[in-house]
Amino acid sequence: MGSHAKAWLVEDESAREMLDRVLTERPFLLLPPLHRVPLRVGNVVELVGPSSSSKTHILIQAAITCILPKLWKGVSYGGLGHSAMFIDLDCRFDVLRFSELLNHRIMEAANGSSSKVGCHQKDSEAQFARMKPYNEELFALCMKRFLYIRCYDSSEFLATLKTLHYRLQKEREVHGVNVHLLLIDSIGAFHWVDRGSSSFPLECDNRKSWHLQNVSEAVVQEIRRLLLVHPMLVMATKAVVLGNKYSTNELTWNYRKWSAVDNPYSRNITSSDQQLPYREYMPAAWQSFVTHRILVRATDDDLVNGGHQNNSIYLLEWLLPLLNSLDKFTVRDVRKRLCLFFLTNKG
């Protein structure tokens, strides 16, 4: 008993390390079209929308901005220079697509820097040859900062969250940078499987049964504990089916248990009778944990601009906080790489 008490008194970080962990800078990492609301560590952003509405692509762009340096060897990349953790619950992450997008961002910044110093068209091939080792070095550095985990069911997801503290701590010791961004794609992937499974007791009779509400509560608790030690911005996608307008008052369960007292960053999403274009299915524990919610959906319009034709246009709308504006963006095929372009917004 005495040894356990002494273990609590053993220091595991200095005062400077504690201040660096607590006084973490606010990550201005979200490029258009996710630039309307300032975000900071501790926020939980939920991207909702139907399938094929570029939700995962937005996560990838945010991750690339996080792992890119702000300035490297005299070239400005506009990144944060921190690590990003991507938890794939959808099991469809394409690492080749991610690497191509990262390469495109690196070359785009390098070419922009070269054009400022007056490179001519005839010197483009020679310039590319000189920049290749330079780009490969930066590419390898950024890929080391991108941490990826794939989970196939809720038990693996919970086990990952419980052990994530030790992995993040190890990565910080190895690479010398903190993880600023936790990405989850997609948070509702196992919802219907868990809901369809009948409740069954675990090994010990005195433990809770494995059912949907307990799983959601455990996920929220583990993420909340993780944020206390590793301050991060959390972004999660969620697939929904758009349909009739549903009132948030219809979704009221037991929110008192998961109030803003437990999570200082949370907001009471049932404080007003907001009309949602989809029916919410996630348990109350997760709904009250979300601090920001964004709806992304495709339109029937196609963009015709120069050589780019038949590019789908997407609409982005802030539901929490509610903003009276719609942002338009498109995902274009640039040199066989999908890239996100912000178009405009309308009130």
Side-chain angles (χ1 to χ4, degrees):
M1 186 66 180
S3 60
H4 292 290
K6 292 181 180 179
W8 283 95
L9 301 178
V10 177
E11 62 179 18
D12 56 356
E13 61 179 352
S14 63
R16 181 175 181 178
E17 292 173 341
M18 185 272 292
L19 291 176
D20 290 339
R21 174 173 58 83
V22 175
L23 302 178
T24 307
E25 61 179 347
R26 182 168 61 183
F28 296 97
L29 59 88
L30 296 183
L31 300 175
L34 300 181
H35 62 301
R36 295 297 176 189
V37 177
L39 299 170
R40 58 192 177 96
V41 293
N43 290 149
V44 181
V45 183
E46 185 182 64
L47 285 167
V48 301
S51 300
S52 302
S53 57
S54 73
K55 298 185 300 296
T56 302
H57 187 80
I58 293 175
L59 291 189
I60 291 177
Q61 291 287 358
I64 291 176
T65 305
C66 184
I67 63 179
L68 278 172
K70 183 177 182 180
L71 187 68
W72 197 68
K73 294 186 177 180
V75 178
S76 176
Y77 292 90
L80 283 178
H82 291 280
S83 298
M85 168 65 70
F86 194 104
I87 302 180
D88 184 15
L89 307 184
D90 208 26
C91 301
R92 294 190 300 177
F93 181 78
D94 188 353
V95 66
L96 178 60
R97 176 187 175 192
F98 178 84
S99 62
E100 289 177 343
L101 286 169
L102 176 59
N103 258 324
H104 176 76
R105 290 279 295 273
I106 292 175
M107 291 188 296
E108 188 179 44
N111 292 338
S113 176
S114 299
S115 62
K116 291 179 181 180
V117 296
C119 288
H120 300 286
Q121 184 71 21
K122 61 180 181 180
D123 299 331
S124 58
E125 295 183 0
Q127 177 69 18
F128 178 79
R130 290 194 300 269
M131 294 294 294
K132 187 176 181 180
Y134 169 89
N135 293 338
E136 290 178 350
E137 181 183 357
L138 179 57
F139 176 82
L141 174 65
C142 292
M143 289 299 292
K144 291 179 181 178
R145 295 174 176 173
F146 181 71
L147 313 177
Y148 174 81
I149 298 178
R150 174 175 290 185
C151 302
Y152 294 95
D153 52 44
S154 294
S155 59
E156 287 190 9
F157 184 36
L158 279 173
T160 298
L161 293 176
K162 288 180 177 294
T163 58
L164 200 55
H165 161 67
Y166 302 100
R167 174 166 182 176
L168 296 182
Q169 193 174 29
K170 183 179 179 181
E171 293 292 339
R172 181 175 59 184
E173 295 173 355
V174 173
H175 301 294
V177 292
N178 296 320
V179 176
H180 264 202
L181 188 60
L182 176 62
L183 306 166
I184 304 175
D185 187 31
S186 70
I187 192 62
F190 311 131
H191 173 84
W192 301 110
V193 176
D194 296 338
R195 183 175 180 176
S197 302
S198 58
S199 300
F200 58 91
L202 299 178
E203 297 178 359
C204 301
D205 294 336
N206 60 342
R207 298 179 63 185
K208 292 183 179 180
S209 299
W210 182 272
H211 60 78
L212 184 62
Q213 188 66 21
N214 289 340
V215 172
S216 182
E217 292 176 1
V219 167
V220 171
Q221 288 177 353
E222 293 301 329
I223 296 178
R224 182 179 290 118
R225 292 170 182 170
L226 190 65
L227 294 181
L228 292 176
V229 184
H230 302 277
M232 296 177 291
L233 173 64
V234 181
M235 293 183 63
T237 64
K238 182 177 67 180
V240 296
V241 178
L242 300 181
N244 298 326
K245 295 285 185 178
Y246 298 96
S247 172
T248 52
N249 288 340
E250 300 176 10
L251 311 174
T252 304
W253 291 348
N254 184 18
Y255 279 94
R256 293 181 180 178
K257 181 178 180 180
W258 301 93
S259 62
V261 176
D262 298 324
N263 182 10
Y265 304 106
S266 68
R267 302 179 184 177
N268 187 359
I269 68 173
T270 59
S271 58
S272 60
D273 186 9
Q274 181 183 356
Q275 298 293 321
L276 299 178
Y278 61 91
R279 183 181 291 277
E280 182 61 74
Y281 60 87
M282 291 294 290
W286 173 259
Q287 292 183 47
S288 60
F289 187 52
V290 172
T291 62
H292 298 75
R293 182 172 289 110
I294 304 168
L295 175 64
V296 185
R297 61 185 183 271
T299 67
D300 296 331
D301 302 329
D302 292 329
L303 177 67
V304 179
N305 185 10
H308 304 286
Q309 297 184 0
N310 298 328
N311 292 300
S312 298
I313 297 178
Y314 300 92
L315 292 178
L316 184 143
E317 180 182 1
W318 283 87
L319 301 180
L320 184 65
L322 183 61
L323 302 181
N324 296 323
S325 64
L326 289 176
D327 289 323
K328 285 185 176 182
F329 68 94
T330 184
V331 179
R332 297 178 183 172
D333 188 0
V334 180
R335 296 183 181 179
K336 304 298 182 181
R337 302 174 180 90
L338 294 176
C339 301
L340 186 147
F341 291 86
F342 177 67
L343 297 177
T344 182
N345 83 293
K346 59 181 180 179

